[in-house]
Amino acid sequence: VLFALLAGVALAEQRFPPPDFESGHKLPVTLTPPARAILLQYLDVAVLAFCLGLGTWLVYKRRSRKGLMALSLFSLLYFGFWKKGCVCAIGSLQNVALGLSDHGYAVPIGVTAFYVLPLVFALFAGRTFCAAVCPHGALQDLVLLKPLKLPPWLEQALSVLPYIYLGAGVLFAATGSAFIICQYDPFVPIFRMSGRSLMVLSGAALLLLGVFVGRPYCRFLCPYGALLKLCAIVANLRVRVTPNLCTQCRLCEASCPFGAMREPETGPAGPQTLSIDRRRLAWMLVLVPVLLVGGGWLGSQFSAPATRLHPTVSLADQLVRAEGTPSKLSMLTPDDLALERARQAPKEILTEAAAIRRKFVIGGWIFGAWVGLVIGVKLISLSVRRRRTDYEPDRGDCFACARCFEYCPNELVRRGLMPAAAPAPGAAVTLTSRPAVVEGTTV
Amino acid sequence: MNRKGNWLMGAWVAGVFSVLVGLTMISGRLSIRAEDPLKSPQLAELKEKLRLNPADEQIKQNVRQLDLQLRQRYFRQLSRMGSGIYLLLGGVAVFILAVKQSARCQKQLPMPQPRPDAPEQSERSAARARWSVAASGTLIGGLLFILTLSLSSALPRRMAEVEKTLGAGDATGAGEPHPTDQASASDAASPQELMQNWPCFRGPGGGGVSLLTNVPTAWDVKTGTGIAWKVPAPTSGFGSPIVWGDRVFLSGGDARKREVLCLDSKTGQILWRQTVADVAGAPAQPADVPESTGYAAATMATDGRRVYAFFANGDCAAFTLEGKPAWSKSFGALKNPYGHATSLTTWRDRLIVQLDQGDPEDNKSKLYALDGRTGQIVWQRPRKAGASWATPIVIEAAGKAQVITLAVPSIIAYAATDGTELWRVEGINGEITPSPVFAGGLLFVASPSEKLMAIRPDGQGDVTKTHVVWTSEDSVPDVTSPLSDGQLVFMLTTGGMLTCLDAKDGKKQWDHDFDMEFHASPSVAGGRLYLLSQKGTAFVVEAARQFRELFHTEMADGFHASPAFAPDKIFLRGLTNVWCLGPVAAKEKASGQP
């Protein structure tokens, strides 16, 4: 896999300046390729909607892992290799962020649909998009050969990253600086078989990691996954290992390569434990505003260097640096050329850069506060007790991949794949009446 | 072999195949890096050599050849990699499939064991998770803080300081004196752009050297072959044409009216013409300007953003390339026995004006650097010199931008940034008309009809005794300027004697007497010298160590101005016509070959 991705680098850097023609040869004008025909854009949206519907049906009605795998393969080929990973739902959130902050920017309908549809489905039916429609997830699922279980502390520590990445992506997109989620997408260079060496190597490294760790990008980086997770938490439909009886055999726990299976509560907490828990929660609640303010301040400080990602600020920065330095007669770098070709007056560039900085200072406060909020909320969520009676997938973390269905003996019996009398492998099975699923929090 | 064994074997085969293809492609990838034309040290070295010897045909040929070879190899390798990636993807797909199938054959359901300590484990796990999330938050905060400290920006950090910088920018724009050390490169064309145009007297660098190779080598006035267009001179003047993009600029005029014209380089049509009149500060009495030189002997200059013109009555004016007046100012009546003829030149966004007049003891001579955007004086330096007619040039040497000026008795180099005198060489005499040229690291200066000096421009103070590399007294011109491609030096006297010297030591290679009068300075393009006699004979001579006349023709015009070069074209300003030599418009489409 690593080799395959390294090879992608081969096609990555084909662009360099043309030769210095002295004979008057006029280089052909570079043409911008026409946008995808509107009909095809609608077709993409229709395919997306169909796949989401089919995925939901396969997860909740058919409960078919095979069907999901087939759909996943189709999505990888269509949304990944055929469409070269664009438009994708992950990047579309930046278009929407820019559209909301800049009224001069119109978000195309197709892009809006790619942003909204998976979220709507997640609101009602959980992460069926992640299950079989997202090409990024499909690619990682494909290479998952020997899944290892991560320690829960590591999983929790890394689980805040998608939210922070989401905040950063929105900050840079809303200020018109850069679409960093697209620029640093590790898998798009693989779909395109072309890209910057660094990104191809990142993609290769993630896929290599993905051989042992299930979907590392989806779990610990994907900013759109963070949004889907928030929606899935309140979803009406939820994935159940078995719609019938949970025998608490724990086979499903071993089946999930994404650490999304949650165990039932063993019993009510004692009064002493409850008191400690309450005190801890109170401290955590007090900590949240501190984290908000501290994070906001840090974000505002970070805004100054972060603005350099904006092309105009970068140009202004070069302009200030170039003042007083002698002109170069040797080959110019692309940055030098950009500066030389910028026909704006220095004052205009500086004025524009100052306005962008102002936006960034506000954005930096919001981003920093968001980071603080994410950490604070995560700490709170780890300080509350959840009441569960069965083994069940975490509403937010479950990718609805249907792996656990195939492990559940009761599910196999229900589907007629195993005789009811046959003993289930693993621990002793005690059939009980179907427990009522009660979810709530208590301390 | 059983089913599992088959899959395992398949996985091995596909894995080994993928590794081999991968290794081949990685080695290909590394060789692509080595063959990247942009990163080739040999090519960079050759280009640097070419920069020092811009007219060396051999180096140009070597650059082209190496560039072509590198590109061919690069794209061949790229194409191989493009095919290889599909093999690799196929191999990897088979490998994954085989591994998965093989794993499926030996799949065993897990056997979870009872966990009596589950509640304690759960508590411990939650506690560890809280700490790890706190550590993660601290780490992210620390990372943001380090990024804040380490990513430096030249822009002020605080908003108030940005506003302050903007305030300073406003003041500059409003016409306050420009800080002497802050010439802006962004409000003027880059050196590369200047090299591709003909922005001042004798082109980029003022040396009469064009880097173009596709300029006309023959034309016929009678049949019109090789003459793109010819239009009657729209205004009178001896200044040479300058070219920027597809525009040709000329200045002209007389006692009644001074003007600047812009012609379309494709058709010769006048795109715009602007009169320079009522210049603030101009003396009430019209200047006494001799007819022999007229009001517009000085060639215009452009920095790629504006064009500048200077007239013998002391008026200086700037226009945008579209003809919009930018500013004008008067330097007052000039005291010059033959009339002012020193042309303008530019450095970045600054206009360099050398005004040598009167006698040395009059203390009237000065060198100015004006802000091209506003016309405000950035710096000025008084010169202890009388009237002169040579045009200053700006060179980059010894790590400095130097303005080289000539006037009896000194060659003086000033820092372009602030006008500080850097070095001087004493020993030029007479009526200083030939302009200096810089090529192959040496400065060539003609003391009219006396001697040609080759000087190293890297000294400090008076370097007369230390930096004059050689002198030659063979047929030194008194009006036209010398010419050098870095290897040879050419001089053309008013009487028509063309002499070729070795640039290294000044040894004469050959001379040839054309036996006619020349006022226009010689130029070189594509290894050929272009000479225009005063009575209209044009010669093309090989710029080589042996004399060889390649072409000559009668132009039915008279020439005092030097030619200007553009891709496919040569522009001439005659006494009666403005000429554009080159393919006619209909043929232009077919002419663009690399």
Side-chain angles (χ1 to χ4, degrees):
Chain A
V1 173
L2 180 66
F3 285 140
L5 296 164
L6 279 173
V9 179
L11 303 174
E13 293 170 6
Q14 296 190 22
R15 298 166 67 192
F16 47 77
D20 304 327
F21 291 113
E22 291 178 348
S23 58
H25 169 67
K26 287 181 180 60
L27 281 170
V29 181
T30 306
L31 296 172
T32 309
R36 196 166 162 84
I38 202 84
L39 201 66
L40 290 177
Q41 288 183 38
Y42 288 140
L43 175 72
D44 293 339
V45 173
V47 172
L48 174 72
F50 174 76
C51 288
L52 284 168
L54 182 63
T56 307
W57 181 73
L58 287 170
V59 173
Y60 293 100
K61 205 78 183 160
R62 288 287 304 217
R63 298 173 65 81
S64 165
R65 170 74 190 144
K66 277 186 185 160
L68 282 171
M69 279 168 67
L71 181 59
S72 180
L73 201 62
F74 167 78
S75 299
L76 176 64
L77 295 175
Y78 185 80
F79 295 113
F81 287 100
W82 173 252
K83 287 198 64 214
K84 301 194 182 302
C86 193
V87 175
C88 82
I90 303 170
S92 68
L93 72 90
Q94 299 165 111
N95 298 76
V96 174
L98 180 60
L100 290 174
S101 72
D102 180 357
H103 298 300
Y105 177 76
V107 188
I109 291 177
V111 176
T112 312
F114 265 77
Y115 173 73
V116 171
L117 277 176
L119 289 178
V120 170
F121 269 82
L123 267 175
F124 291 96
R127 300 174 72 171
T128 44
F129 173 74
C130 302
V133 187
C134 176
H136 290 54
L139 185 62
Q140 292 170 87
D141 243 6
L142 202 67
V143 299
L144 181 59
L145 299 177
K146 187 129 184 90
L148 300 175
K149 193 172 163 63
L150 286 186
W153 62 266
L154 182 59
E155 188 135 353
Q156 295 294 351
L158 294 175
S159 67
V160 296
L161 295 181
Y163 295 98
I164 292 164
Y165 194 19
L166 170 69
V170 170
L171 170 71
F172 286 111
T175 50
S177 306
F179 279 14
I180 58 165
I181 297 169
C182 295
Q183 279 178 23
Y184 299 100
D185 189 305
F187 301 129
V188 166
I190 294 166
F191 298 144
R192 295 181 184 172
M193 298 184 201
S194 166
R196 287 178 298 157
S197 309
L198 178 72
M199 292 325 299
V200 174
L201 286 174
S202 306
L206 269 174
L207 284 189
L208 199 61
L209 185 68
V211 173
F212 307 103
V213 178
R215 294 193 179 203
Y217 180 80
C218 302
R219 287 157 77 191
F220 308 127
L221 274 175
C222 181
Y224 192 70
L227 284 179
L228 288 170
K229 186 173 173 176
L230 293 176
C231 294
I233 287 171
V234 296
N236 190 31
L237 282 173
R238 48 178 292 203
V239 174
R240 291 172 197 277
V241 181
T242 171
N244 294 334
L245 303 169
C246 175
T247 58
Q248 306 210 347
C249 64
R250 291 177 53 214
L251 280 173
C252 56
E253 192 183 30
S255 74
C256 183
F258 311 123
M261 200 59 70
R262 301 288 175 258
E263 60 188 7
E265 199 185 23
T266 44
Q272 204 180 347
T273 316
L274 265 181
S275 159
I276 294 170
D277 286 356
R278 282 186 183 137
R279 239 194 342 265
R280 185 188 302 120
L281 181 63
W283 275 112
M284 294 301 175
L285 288 170
V286 170
L287 191 64
V288 170
V290 178
L291 287 171
L292 278 174
V293 175
W297 177 81
L298 201 57
S300 72
Q301 297 301 303
F302 174 64
S303 69
T307 42
R308 282 179 58 195
L309 267 187
H310 195 289
T312 305
V313 181
S314 168
L315 198 64
D317 189 71
Q318 286 179 57
L319 188 70
V320 174
R321 284 177 203 271
E323 286 285 313
T325 55
S327 61
K328 288 183 234 170
L329 280 169
S330 55
M331 282 189 280
L332 291 180
T333 64
D335 284 349
D336 293 332
L337 285 171
L339 188 60
E340 297 291 354
R341 284 174 187 156
R343 295 298 175 95
Q344 284 174 294
K347 192 189 153 200
E348 282 172 35
I349 298 171
L350 279 172
T351 310
E352 211 178 311
I356 294 161
R357 273 221 164 159
R358 260 179 241 121
K359 268 169 100 175
F360 252 95
V361 170
I362 300 166
W365 270 99
I366 298 171
F367 168 66
W370 168 253
V371 174
L373 183 72
V374 167
I375 303 290
V377 170
K378 189 76 202 176
L379 286 172
I380 289 172
S381 79
L382 289 169
S383 303
V384 295
R385 279 176 188 276
R386 291 172 197 282
R387 202 185 294 163
R388 279 190 209 92
T389 52
D390 284 343
Y391 279 90
E392 58 191 52
D394 185 282
R395 284 186 169 214
D397 288 339
C398 175
F399 291 124
C401 67
R403 278 186 176 84
C404 52
F405 300 168
E406 292 183 341
Y407 276 69
C408 178
N410 281 339
E411 173 69 2
L412 295 178
V413 169
R414 187 185 72 83
R415 286 158 67 179
L417 297 172
M418 196 169 83
V429 174
T430 311
L431 291 177
T432 61
S433 61
R434 183 185 170 190
V437 177
V438 182
E439 180 138 313
T441 59
T442 182
V443 289
Chain B
M1 207 182 282
N2 59 14
R3 197 162 161 238
K4 183 188 158 194
N6 287 339
W7 282 118
L8 263 180
M9 177 61 78
W12 270 105
V13 171
V16 170
F17 173 78
S18 304
V19 167
L20 287 178
V21 177
L23 284 174
T24 313
M25 294 182 75
I26 285 176
S27 91
R29 165 76 192 150
L30 293 176
S31 78
I32 275 186
R33 269 182 186 278
E35 285 159 10
D36 186 342
L38 260 192
K39 291 172 186 160
S40 162
Q42 295 97 324
L43 194 61
E45 192 185 332
L46 275 175
K47 283 190 174 180
E48 183 59 22
K49 273 188 192 165
L50 184 64
R51 193 176 70 75
L52 295 172
N53 304 294
D56 190 322
E57 279 304 306
Q58 188 55 46
I59 300 178
K60 282 182 193 174
Q61 199 50 42
N62 291 346
V63 168
R64 285 191 196 105
Q65 214 162 2
L66 183 60
D67 188 273
L68 184 65
Q69 279 172 7
L70 288 170
R71 277 168 203 273
Q72 280 174 339
R73 268 197 301 221
Y74 182 88
F75 284 107
R76 222 176 291 134
Q77 191 64 28
L78 215 56
S79 159
R80 271 201 291 266
M81 299 283 275
S83 325
I85 197 163
Y86 289 102
L87 282 178
L88 198 53
L89 278 179
V92 170
V94 172
F95 173 75
I96 290 175
L97 180 74
V99 168
K100 286 207 164 187
Q101 289 301 324
S102 151
R104 182 174 260 192
C105 292
Q106 57 185 358
K107 191 175 181 181
Q108 285 179 346
L109 280 176
M111 297 289 285
Q113 298 303 313
R115 285 193 311 158
D117 61 341
E120 291 78 22
Q121 260 191 18
S122 176
E123 282 296 324
R124 275 201 302 272
S125 175
R128 265 193 229 120
R130 279 192 294 273
W131 279 112
S132 66
V133 169
S136 171
T138 313
L139 208 66
I140 289 163
L143 195 70
L144 282 182
F145 193 66
I146 290 167
L147 282 175
T148 304
L149 294 180
S150 60
L151 288 178
S152 68
S153 168
L155 287 174
R157 200 170 187 80
R158 308 258 164 225
M159 281 309 302
E161 291 165 33
V162 176
E163 304 292 349
K164 213 169 139 189
T165 309
L166 276 172
D170 284 343
T172 307
E176 290 296 313
H178 202 294
T180 54
D181 58 346
Q182 288 185 1
S184 169
S186 64
D187 202 26
S190 66
Q192 276 71 11
E193 278 182 278
L194 289 170
M195 293 296 270
Q196 287 158 11
N197 287 283
W198 200 261
C200 59
F201 176 58
R202 305 195 77 209
V209 177
S210 169
L211 297 181
L212 298 168
T213 53
N214 61 335
V215 290
T217 52
W219 56 93
D220 190 332
V221 176
K222 282 179 192 156
T223 62
T225 310
I227 296 175
W229 51 261
K230 179 179 87 168
V231 294
T235 184
S236 61
F238 295 110
S240 306
I242 62 168
V243 184
W244 193 264
D246 55 3
R247 292 169 183 220
V248 182
F249 299 93
L250 299 167
S251 66
D254 50 31
R256 288 180 297 107
K257 181 182 170 189
R258 270 81 50 203
E259 58 183 347
V260 172
L261 291 97
C262 171
L263 310 184
D264 185 335
S265 72
K266 293 191 191 86
T267 60
Q269 282 181 335
I270 296 173
L271 294 176
W272 56 264
R273 74 193 296 167
Q274 286 282 8
T275 306
V276 179
D278 303 326
V279 176
Q285 289 295 319
D288 185 16
V289 176
E291 276 184 23
S292 56
T293 46
Y295 277 77
T299 300
M300 294 172 67
T302 178
D303 54 15
R305 303 291 182 268
R306 294 158 291 271
V307 290
Y308 308 98
F310 197 96
F311 298 94
N313 64 346
D315 286 356
C316 185
F319 298 90
T320 64
L321 299 180
E322 288 73 37
K324 202 174 142 197
W327 53 265
S328 61
K329 71 188 294 162
S330 170
F331 285 86
L334 305 175
K335 191 180 168 190
N336 193 313
Y338 300 128
H340 180 80
T342 301
S343 300
L344 301 171
T345 191
T346 61
W347 178 68
R348 296 190 171 189
D349 61 351
R350 290 177 185 176
L351 177 65
I352 308 294
V353 183
Q354 184 182 340
L355 287 186
D356 289 347
Q357 49 179 323
D359 296 314
E361 52 273 18
D362 294 342
N363 290 326
K364 283 193 156 192
S365 300
K366 275 186 182 172
L367 179 70
Y368 297 89
L370 308 183
D371 184 329
R373 291 166 290 197
T374 62
Q376 295 293 311
I377 295 169
V378 180
W379 54 258
Q380 52 180 309
R381 291 288 170 264
R383 287 163 55 78
K384 192 76 179 165
S388 74
W389 298 267
T391 296
I393 59 170
V394 183
I395 66 170
E396 297 272 350
K400 297 184 190 96
Q402 308 181 13
V403 183
I404 309 295
T405 62
L406 311 184
V408 174
S410 314
I411 304 150
I412 304 178
Y414 300 89
T417 48
D418 57 7
T420 312
E421 183 179 322
L422 299 171
W423 56 262
R424 64 165 63 205
V425 168
E426 305 287 353
I428 52 172
N429 302 295
E431 291 168 341
I432 305 295
T433 312
S435 302
V437 296
F438 178 61
L442 290 176
L443 198 62
F444 300 101
V445 175
S447 179
S449 306
E450 186 196 12
K451 63 183 173 191
L452 182 78
M453 302 162 82
I455 300 162
R456 271 191 295 115
D458 56 0
Q460 267 189 325
D462 188 340
V463 296
T464 313
K465 290 182 181 161
T466 55
H467 281 62
V468 179
V469 180
W470 54 260
T471 57
S472 167
E473 295 172 3
D474 281 311
S475 307
V476 180
D478 59 342
V479 173
T480 68
S481 306
L483 174 74
S484 175
D485 60 5
Q487 299 199 342
L488 299 170
V489 181
F490 301 93
M491 292 184 292
L492 179 64
T493 63
T494 307
M497 179 66 79
L498 178 66
T499 309
C500 172
L501 309 177
D502 191 319
K504 228 172 8 186
D505 49 18
K507 276 190 187 156
K508 188 159 90 176
Q509 304 297 301
W510 51 261
D511 60 12
H512 178 83
D513 192 358
F514 287 101
D515 197 20
M516 57 181 73
E517 206 162 308
F518 289 84
H519 281 177
S521 295
S523 309
V524 67
R528 293 176 288 271
L529 296 177
Y530 289 80
L531 315 173
L532 295 166
S533 84
Q534 199 190 338
K535 290 196 173 163
T537 313
F539 295 93
V540 180
V541 174
E542 196 170 31
R545 290 185 189 272
Q546 285 85 37
F547 173 79
R548 192 155 75 96
E549 186 182 307
L550 301 171
F551 171 73
H552 82 267
T553 188
E554 294 301 329
M555 298 284 289
D557 206 337
F559 294 103
H560 291 264
S562 303
F565 294 83
D568 287 338
K569 295 185 181 77
I570 304 175
F571 298 97
L572 307 176
R573 184 185 198 173
L575 292 175
T576 53
N577 295 298
V578 178
W579 302 72
C580 174
L581 309 179
V584 291
K587 292 178 190 169
E588 267 185 8
K589 278 183 187 170
S591 66
Q593 292 298 319

